[in-house]
Amino acid sequence: MGLIVYNRPFAIERYIMKKIKKIGVLTGGGDCPGLNAVIRAIVKKATQEGDCEIIGIEDGFEGMIHNRHRKLNSEDVSGILTLGGTILGTSNRANPFKYLVKEKGGVVFKDFSRRAIKNLKNLKIDCLVCIGGDGTLAISHRLAREGIPLVGVPKTIDNDVWGTDITFGFDTAVHIATEGVDRLHTTAESHHRVMILEVMGRRAGWIALYAGLAGGGDIILIPEIPYDMDVVVEKIKERGKKGKKFTIMVVAEGAKAKGGDVVVKEIVKDASDPVRLGGVSFALGKDIEKRTGIETRNVVMGHLQRGGSPTAFDRILGTQLGSKAVDLIWARNFGFMAGVCEGKFVKVPLSKVARGQKLVPLNHVLIKTARSIGICFGV
């Protein structure tokens, strides 16, 4: 992943800049390395170039609903570039259009959007910056349609936001997952085992594809290519015949067999996405051991991929996207997301971002490269 050269395609008009006096910012959805880099860039640029007041909305849309916020200045964002997580807090269960409340001994979903919008208007914010993934940006699009001036910034380790080639947080997650693959090699070789590393990504296979290729995985299973278990087993046996007594598999949590479905860890009724994936590596391990007689172990990376300090790439990308978000505000390009396309920063309508997820295309160059060197995708 090469560093992206920052460009400024949107003109900054000084007379427009003076009209923007107060900017709100929130981080929604799952946490992600690089969030603080975006917050820092927004605060520094907007206060230094536009003499703006920045209001940080706490815990994502939860803060909009319950009116929790605080002022942010340069001192507040000093030293946060290297920190993981978000200093504002976040929530992936606080959809203002479908908010869970306890009522009469039970729980129901209610539309709290009017209340959230009223709280925001009372703050007299000229524009709101929503930093988040596909769920947060879909909510942002609905708020924009309700008349809230806002811009979006794409965030997710899954790299599945439509309209941008890459999201900050992805590079860090890939580095962490790749280190996991590296560490499994020695124990797999020593014990002649099949080792399965399960990574995040929901229904997109970007992390598994990149980490599997970077770590030298023998089999990569991603949601976009439903696997045939017979092919997976044959690949393991084939390696054994060639004297390779171990196999490394990298599996996306959303991977599924042909004609089958994803493995669901649990259903969380009060979450924006109630289906929580996880456990596919356990099912695969049992089946492989039964069919081959080879000892099989699995490791689930889980939230390790979300934690810790962001890579240099994600710090720079987050900073650039934060700066670009402010450019969009100066130019009054409300209802747009700052994205990356072919190495350049672009503005993407939130109406298009809200259409769905960006999945790995079957003709992706890394799939072709992986196949050319003998990596199996289970088909």
Side-chain angles (χ1 to χ4, degrees), residues 250-270:
V250 181
V251 182
E253 63 184 357
K256 60 182 179 180
K258 284 184 177 179
D261 205 348
V262 295
V263 177
V264 177
K265 180 181 179 182
E266 60 181 323
I267 301 295
V268 184
K269 294 182 179 180
D270 61 342

Side-chain angles (χ1 to χ4, degrees), residues 67-367:
N67 204 27
R68 298 201 303 265
H69 52 83
R70 58 191 169 98
K71 291 183 180 181
L72 295 175
N73 54 41
S74 294
E75 288 71 27
D76 295 315
V77 298
S78 178
I80 70 170
L81 180 64
T82 62
L83 298 179
T86 163
I87 62 169
L88 291 176
T90 188
S91 172
N92 56 8
R93 301 186 182 188
N95 182 345
F97 296 95
K98 189 180 178 182
Y99 188 69
L100 187 141
V101 294
K102 294 181 179 180
E103 190 175 85
K104 297 180 181 179
V107 292
V108 294
F109 286 102
K110 289 192 173 183
D111 187 344
F112 273 35
S113 60
R114 295 293 97 200
R115 174 175 167 180
I117 291 171
K118 181 180 178 181
N119 288 337
L120 196 64
K121 287 183 176 179
N122 287 340
L123 289 173
K124 301 187 184 303
I125 287 175
D126 298 309
C127 182
L128 176 66
V129 182
C130 296
I131 311 169
D134 58 336
T136 298
L137 294 173
I139 293 171
S140 300
H141 171 55
R142 292 190 66 179
L143 289 171
R145 292 176 61 185
E146 294 291 334
I148 298 299
L150 58 80
V151 300
V153 177
K155 165 244 59 168
T156 174
I157 66 169
D158 304 328
N159 197 39
D160 62 352
V161 174
W162 194 95
T164 183
D165 292 344
I166 193 167
T167 58
F168 69 87
F170 173 62
D171 186 70
T172 303
V174 169
H175 273 65
I176 294 169
T178 301
E179 184 177 353
V181 180
D182 293 345
R183 290 180 179 275
L184 288 181
H185 269 280
T186 55
T187 185
E189 290 185 62
S190 298
H191 290 275
H192 313 309
R193 289 172 173 162
V194 175
M195 299 295 292
I196 308 174
L197 184 74
E198 180 178 330
V199 300
M200 284 183 166
R202 298 188 297 174
R203 298 179 188 271
W206 295 103
I207 297 176
L209 176 60
Y210 274 70
L213 187 57
D218 306 300
I219 300 172
I220 301 173
L221 302 182
I222 60 176
E224 294 84 351
I225 306 177
Y227 61 87
D228 184 329
M229 199 62 197
D230 291 337
V231 175
V232 173
V233 170
E234 183 57 34
K235 175 67 175 181
I236 295 170
K237 290 180 177 179
E238 178 188 316
R239 285 178 55 78
K241 292 175 183 178
K242 294 179 179 179
K244 298 175 181 178
K245 299 180 180 180
F246 73 97
T247 299
I248 301 292
M249 295 177 60
V250 181
V251 182
E253 63 184 357
K256 60 182 179 180
K258 284 184 177 179
D261 205 348
V262 295
V263 177
V264 177
K265 180 181 179 182
E266 60 181 323
I267 301 295
V268 184
K269 294 182 179 180
D270 61 342
S272 56
D273 185 357
V275 179
R276 188 162 293 173
L277 303 179
V280 63
S281 60
F282 289 92
L284 283 166
K286 289 180 180 180
D287 201 4
I288 289 170
E289 199 166 86
K290 181 180 179 180
R291 292 196 189 201
T292 67
I294 300 173
E295 191 175 9
T296 305
R297 295 287 185 271
N298 72 297
V299 176
V300 180
M301 292 294 293
H303 285 76
L304 287 172
Q305 296 158 96
R306 292 190 179 279
S309 183
T311 60
F313 180 90
D314 278 338
R315 296 178 198 182
I316 294 171
L317 179 59
T319 300
Q320 291 178 295
L321 285 171
S323 176
K324 183 52 55 186
V326 177
D327 281 352
L328 290 176
I329 294 172
W330 293 160
R332 293 188 178 271
N333 289 135
F334 304 139
F336 287 87
M337 176 191 79
V340 180
C341 182
E342 297 181 351
K344 295 182 180 180
F345 287 89
V346 296
K347 60 177 182 179
V348 185
L350 285 173
S351 58
K352 292 186 177 181
V353 178
R355 290 178 182 175
Q357 293 174 297
K358 180 190 70 178
L359 304 179
V360 180
L362 299 183
N363 64 346
H364 194 278
V365 63
L366 289 190
I367 292 179

